[in-house]
Amino acid sequence: MKFPLKPFVIFLAAAPFSAIAQEVVLDAIVVTGQKIDVQSFSGTDVDAASLASQRPVSSDTASLLQDVPGISLYGAGGISSLPAIHGMADDRVRIQVDGMGLVSACPNHMNSPLSYIDPTNVDIIKVYTGITPVSAGGDSIGGTIQVNSAAPEFARSGEGTLLKGQLGAFYRSNGDGYGTNLSTTLANEYLNLTYNGSTAQSNNYRAAQDFKAAGPAAADRGWLAGNEVGSSAYKSENHELGLALRHENNLLEFKASMQDVPYELFPNQRMDMTENNNKQFSLRYTGQFQWGDLETRIYEQTTRHKMQFGEDKQLQYGTALGMPMESSGKNRGALIQGNILLSARDTIKLGSEIQNFRLNDWWPASMDTVGGMGPGTFQNINNGQRDRAAFFAEWDASWSPQWFSQLGLRSEMVKMNAGAIQGYNDRPMYADDAAAFNALDHQRTDHNLDLTALARYTASPTQTLELGYAQKTRSPNLYERYTWSAMTMAAVMNNFAGDGNGYVGNINLKPEVAHTVSATWDWHDADKEQWNLKVTPYYTYVTDYVDAQRCPLSFSSNCTVANQTATTGFVNLQYVNQTAQLYGMDVSSQMNLGEYAGYGSFVVNGVLNYTRGSNLTTGDNLYNIMPLNTKLAVVQSVGNWSNTAEWQLVAAKNRVSEVRNENQTGGYALFNLRSSYTWGNARFDIGIDNVFNRFYGLPLGGAYIGQGKTMSANGIPWGVPVPGMGRSISTAFNLKF
């Protein structure tokens, strides 16, 4: 097919385009990009048009955030990256999918919240990377990411029945990945019925060059090439059914969804996800009244999760056939909030939120009575309970055309508990730690307080300044508080850092309290259409930051002297409260270069991010902090074509966490090309990522433990970062009807 590649030639060589332009009568083309919601502080809206060009490249919804200033991604499985905001990731970031606060039910956090919505089902994303309003936060210190599917659409009055939909497919050369998606809507003026479905799967991807010797992946496994990244394959299937009723200014919406992931392999974990079944139900009401508007929501999430060694990791250990690990989680929540218009100047938002989470995590016996993984069941967390109840109030005030302010207060109670546990057997390596844990009072109650104070000053039609302070609080999760075994084999199975180390919980952990100050200077043209430049410096001081220390000798006989001093290799750690600081700057810009006859319009976008994180208690660096990085993109739009040339530059990561023996990574530069062609209701995308096939290690990808004897502490090499993907050609086709 010649026509998809032709725009690339034109774009790079600047050849005349007039011949193609004359062949077709073209509709008007609207160029869109990231939009800043001027009514929200430190918030970035990424709309459907901005997301469209990114969907063909990845089936990982978190990857849709990669161009948002302040965002970086912890590497994980093919659909489960963990977004980090200013160096804080995972549970430190509040993630809401269609308003639901989803929870990971896995000791490795493989089933991350964003993995439960396919990129093709995402309509808009709002990200708070700076000061997060208390109505959008809670139980988090890093920020908030709100991902939403499309709102229900209804037929116009008197126009009968609305029938519409979209059908799509994609293919990616690296990993031989492919998938499909379908959405349909049937609606009249009052009733909407919508279905969304998608599939995605991929084999292992390949790096740009050999980073290990070719050979069998493990003693009882198949062959891996030297550049093949073991345990990076995945397969997923998603279905969602929505029903909505509308009457005047009232909307009632019900959604039911299910996900089946038969496998998702992880190159930076010792185990793989071999089954994950998730069901979600939500009921939402919104209404508009003379006094303001009201929203209520209830939801339930049920997860059944299994782990085992995938096809690239050794399965047989003596008489043990693998190591089955299972977990089940039930997450229920409810929200009610109202926006009350007190006057032309003042708006009050009042709300209450509850969430109840139940977790069981157990490891069935995998060997006979003479072995170490039997004859009983290892209980990692037994009847874990984490219940939240919150109340919040926000006051927005428009003091003048120049001044706008927001004050927020959120009070939250978090109650946690867990039952008695046991090891595989009553040998001292399990029994001593189990007895010590069972002797403790497991119930903990945290009373947390969030505060926000923000102001915006519009100095002129071309200059805006935002200033803010926030106190945010997060209670530890169940795995941080209640995992109990320091025995190496058990500890390394409790790891959502992707660093190959073992982690043990600490029942006495206190909530993290973060104090953040942030400012944003925004320069732009008067119409906010031709150019803009935003600069956002920030500083965060965290008391009782949950970091890690080497497993203390006083904690368990499984904690060794050698583990205390090792400067290489994998180590065992325990969560501990310490003091930390994070600071940095986000810079983003956009400039319209104008229209050129025969070549179309050109727009330049740029993003630069810098984050520094340090542990003030120990003097160590915080783990997985993205080094200085920048991205520059030139977008050409001509006729029905849109073409993008993108450069990504990342500095070397040499500030690493010594307590974790974190790997350093080198700096790198990548060049990507993308093109899309729109004809009526059809859209075709083609792109080449990593055009020059550069080899690089992922700064936040963790340690490569994707093959071999991963159960053994010394069965896999230490010091190998997970490599990035080599050259990949992606194509996608979408048809709206």
Side-chain angles (χ1 to χ4, degrees):
M1 301 176 67
K2 297 182 179 180
F3 67 91
L5 298 178
K6 196 168 187 178
F8 280 133
V9 178
I10 295 167
F11 179 66
L12 296 176
F17 205 85
S18 57
I20 293 179
Q22 293 172 1
E23 293 177 359
V24 182
V25 178
L26 303 175
D27 296 329
I29 300 298
V30 179
V31 179
T32 57
Q34 292 183 0
K35 295 180 180 179
I36 306 301
D37 182 358
V38 298
Q39 293 303 315
S40 61
F41 293 93
S42 305
T44 300
D45 282 357
V46 188
D47 62 21
S50 305
L51 301 173
S53 63
Q54 300 184 51
R55 292 191 182 100
V57 181
S58 175
S59 295
D60 183 4
T61 296
S63 69
L64 302 176
L65 300 163
Q66 61 185 335
D67 292 337
V68 176
I71 292 282
S72 55
L73 302 177
Y74 279 24
I79 59 172
S80 300
S81 295
L82 300 171
I85 296 177
H86 295 162
M88 293 183 280
D90 208 356
D91 285 347
R92 292 191 173 105
V93 176
R94 171 59 49 208
I95 297 178
Q96 298 166 340
V97 178
D98 280 334
M100 299 179 290
L102 303 183
V103 180
S104 178
C106 169
N108 302 140
H109 281 195
M110 292 178 173
N111 44 21
S112 57
L114 288 183
S115 69
Y116 289 123
I117 182 169
D118 188 81
T120 59
N121 195 25
V122 175
D123 182 63
I124 191 168
I125 302 176
K126 179 180 282 292
V127 183
Y128 294 97
T129 57
I131 307 299
T132 304
V134 295
S135 59
D139 199 34
S140 61
I141 62 173
T144 295
I145 299 172
Q146 298 172 331
V147 178
N148 292 292
S149 56
E153 187 175 352
F154 298 87
R156 296 180 180 178
S157 178
E159 291 190 358
T161 301
L162 170 68
L163 177 62
K164 62 180 297 186
Q166 180 171 291
L167 177 66
F170 70 84
Y171 176 78
R172 305 176 191 123
S173 64
N174 197 327
D176 195 27
Y178 60 92
T180 59
N181 62 278
L182 171 68
S183 64
T184 59
T185 293
L186 177 65
N188 59 23
E189 186 179 350
Y190 307 102
L191 177 66
N192 171 288
L193 182 64
T194 298
Y195 167 79
N196 291 288
S198 61
T199 64
Q201 67 181 83
S202 175
N203 298 324
N204 291 338
Y205 72 84
R206 293 176 180 261
Q209 67 183 43
D210 292 352
F211 64 98
K212 56 184 173 60
D220 49 3
R221 296 305 200 184
W223 185 274
L224 285 183
N227 67 341
E228 184 174 350
V229 179
S231 301
S232 57
Y234 62 87
K235 182 178 182 179
S236 70
E237 183 177 330
N238 295 274
H239 301 277
E240 180 186 78
L241 184 65
L243 176 66
L245 299 171
R246 182 181 69 173
H247 178 65
E248 296 179 347
N249 294 325
N250 302 280
L251 176 66
L252 183 65
E253 184 178 8
F254 172 77
K255 286 187 177 181
S257 64
M258 62 172 290
Q259 182 192 71
D260 177 36
V261 179
Y263 61 87
E264 183 183 9
L265 313 184
F266 285 73
N268 62 358
Q269 294 289 356
R270 296 171 185 267
M271 304 290 292
D272 295 306
M273 188 161 72
T274 54
E275 182 180 334
N276 196 81
N277 293 307
N278 184 265
K279 296 182 176 66
Q280 298 170 18
F281 304 93
S282 68
L283 182 65
R284 174 175 176 256
Y285 165 79
T286 58
Q288 296 181 345
F289 307 91
Q290 289 185 346
W291 51 266
D293 57 70
L294 176 69
E295 177 183 3
T296 63
R297 182 191 303 274
I298 58 174
Y299 62 88
E300 178 178 285
Q301 174 196 15
T302 303
T303 305
R304 189 71 169 84
H305 175 73
K306 295 183 179 182
M307 292 192 297
Q308 182 57 280
F309 302 111
E311 60 185 18
D312 297 329
K313 295 168 182 170
Q314 184 167 318
L315 182 65
Q316 191 79 32
Y317 290 82
T319 59
L321 188 63
M323 184 179 177
M325 301 173 65
E326 302 189 24
S327 57
S328 65
K330 179 159 286 189
N331 172 32
R332 293 173 174 169
L335 167 75
I336 180 170
Q337 68 178 30
N339 295 319
I340 305 171
L341 305 176
L342 297 181
S343 66
R345 187 192 71 181
D346 302 310
T347 302
I348 295 289
K349 178 178 288 186
L350 300 175
S352 179
E353 180 182 6
I354 60 172
Q355 184 182 53
N356 299 322
F357 180 54
R358 298 292 180 267
L359 174 70
N360 281 288
D361 190 317
W362 70 99
W363 310 345
S366 60
M367 118 186 263
D368 60 19
T369 55
V370 302
M373 291 183 290
T377 295
F378 185 102
Q379 293 176 323
N380 196 34
I381 291 181
N382 178 32
N383 192 28
Q385 303 174 32
R386 194 176 192 275
D387 298 333
R388 299 170 49 220
F391 299 90
F392 59 85
E394 279 180 1
W395 171 36
D396 292 351
S398 298
W399 300 96
S400 69
Q402 289 77 38
W403 283 100
F404 186 86
S405 68
Q406 182 184 89
L407 295 175
L409 173 67
R410 184 183 183 103
S411 176
E412 187 154 336
M413 181 176 68
V414 181
K415 296 183 66 174
M416 298 173 63
N417 205 348
I421 46 77
Q422 66 178 29
Y424 286 113
N425 51 57
D426 58 2
R427 297 181 185 183
M429 61 181 178
Y430 299 121
D432 291 350
D433 289 353
F437 179 84
N438 289 336
L440 299 173
D441 179 9
H442 299 165
Q443 183 170 317
R444 295 291 185 272
T445 301
D446 301 326
H447 297 279
N448 302 333
L449 186 68
D450 288 359
L451 302 168
T452 58
L454 308 105
R456 179 193 296 117
Y457 174 61
T458 304
S460 71
T462 62
Q463 297 182 51
T464 303
L465 172 64
E466 292 182 2
L467 299 170
Y469 162 80
Q471 173 183 300
K472 296 289 185 178
T473 312
R474 180 191 77 97
S475 288
N477 63 42
L478 291 172
Y479 288 105
E480 289 170 326
R481 263 190 173 149
Y482 294 125
T483 50
W484 54 273
S485 177
M487 190 264 187
T488 296
M489 185 274 294
V492 296
M493 301 303 167
N494 287 288
N495 179 317
F496 33 83
D499 59 4
N501 297 315
Y503 286 83
V504 186
N506 184 343
I507 200 170
N508 294 316
L509 287 177
K510 299 176 182 178
E512 299 175 320
V513 180
H515 302 269
T516 298
V517 290
S518 177
T520 298
W521 285 270
D522 186 353
W523 294 272
H524 48 264
D525 65 284
D527 296 327
K528 299 183 179 180
E529 294 179 352
Q530 298 302 314
W531 64 272
N532 70 71
L533 172 65
K534 290 183 65 176
V535 179
T536 303
Y538 57 87
Y539 176 84
T540 298
Y541 179 86
V542 189
T543 59
D544 293 316
Y545 183 87
V546 178
D547 209 330
Q549 64 181 2
R550 298 290 172 91
C551 184
L553 299 178
S554 59
F555 177 77
S556 168
S557 60
N558 288 310
C559 302
T560 65
V561 174
N563 183 73
Q564 293 286 313
T565 58
T567 58
T568 61
F570 301 108
V571 293
N572 290 338
L573 305 158
Q574 184 185 35
Y575 295 112
V576 64
N577 288 122
Q578 294 172 331
T579 302
Q581 67 175 6
L582 301 103
Y583 58 88
M585 181 179 294
D586 303 329
V587 180
S588 62
S589 63
Q590 181 176 6
M591 178 173 288
N592 189 338
L593 300 181
E595 189 100 16
Y596 298 87
Y599 301 101
S601 63
F602 290 81
V603 177
V604 176
N605 298 290
V607 176
L608 183 145
N609 302 300
Y610 173 74
T611 301
R612 178 82 169 90
S614 56
N615 186 314
L616 298 179
T617 301
T618 65
D620 198 3
N621 298 298
L622 296 185
Y623 174 68
N624 245 10
I625 300 298
M626 186 70 178
L628 176 68
N629 63 94
T630 185
K631 186 178 289 187
L632 178 69
V634 179
V635 182
Q636 177 208 30
S637 298
V638 56
N640 286 23
W641 289 100
S642 177
N643 309 297
T644 301
E646 179 182 84
W647 294 263
Q648 182 180 7
L649 303 173
V650 179
K653 186 181 74 169
N654 46 39
R655 293 192 179 105
V656 294
S657 171
E658 294 182 0
V659 71
R660 291 176 169 85
N661 291 342
E662 182 182 2
N663 297 322
Q664 296 187 8
T665 57
Y668 59 91
L670 302 178
F671 180 58
N672 308 314
L673 288 171
R674 299 191 182 107
S675 182
S676 67
Y677 180 79
T678 303
W679 184 282
N681 291 327
R683 174 181 171 124
F684 180 79
D685 289 84
I686 185 169
I688 308 176
D689 280 343
N690 196 356
V691 172
F692 299 113
N693 204 30
R694 300 296 189 191
F695 179 81
Y696 62 102
L698 292 168
L700 307 187
Y704 180 68
I705 48 178
Q707 63 185 92
K709 194 177 181 181
T710 60
M711 184 181 292
S712 172
N714 299 314
I716 46 180
W718 173 85
V720 181
V722 175
M725 185 178 291
R727 183 188 296 116
S728 182
I729 299 175
S730 58
T731 60
F733 176 77
N734 280 275
L735 176 65
K736 296 181 179 180
F737 56 88

